[in-house]
Amino acid sequence: MQSGQMKAITSKELEYIVDSISNEDLLIKQCAATAATTQNQTIKQACQQYIRSMDHHMDMLIQTPQQHQSMAPSQPQQ
């Protein structure tokens, strides 16, 4: 496949992306709660760094379906 050429994602792949978004969101919330309650600065900093990393993952996961939206069928498939 040439660079810049995208292949349409399948419904199964879209389900995986939705699941990943849900999982990343839960991890972000758990890390934020840990960072907010811990007294250990090393743990707090590690959680905050991990949150920034997961925010980047979330952005990529959200952008993927948007990038493929133009390739989606305009009518539901029967």
Side-chain angles (χ1 to χ4, degrees):
M1 188 175 344
Q2 297 175 353
S3 66
Q5 185 180 23
M6 281 195 281
K7 189 175 172 184
I9 59 176
T10 66
S11 60
K12 191 66 167 175
E13 290 168 329
L14 184 57
E15 288 177 30
Y16 288 142
I17 292 169
V18 170
D19 286 345
S20 294
I21 290 170
S22 177
N23 293 337
E24 291 283 332
D25 184 55
L26 179 60
L27 288 171
I28 289 169
K29 289 176 183 174
Q30 290 174 334
C31 282
T34 300
T37 59
T38 188
Q39 299 299 314
N40 185 313
Q41 288 302 310
T42 303
I43 292 173
K44 183 182 294 272
Q45 289 173 351
C47 287
Q48 291 168 340
Q49 182 179 2
Y50 195 62
I51 289 168
R52 286 189 295 276
S53 173
M54 286 188 288
D55 281 340
H56 178 69
H57 294 162
M58 285 284 280
D59 290 342
M60 290 185 344
L61 289 168
I62 291 168
Q63 289 173 6
T64 299
Q66 291 171 345
Q67 292 170 347
H68 288 82
Q69 187 173 9
S70 64
M71 302 171 81
S74 57
Q75 299 293 319
Q77 300 296 305
Q78 304 271 335

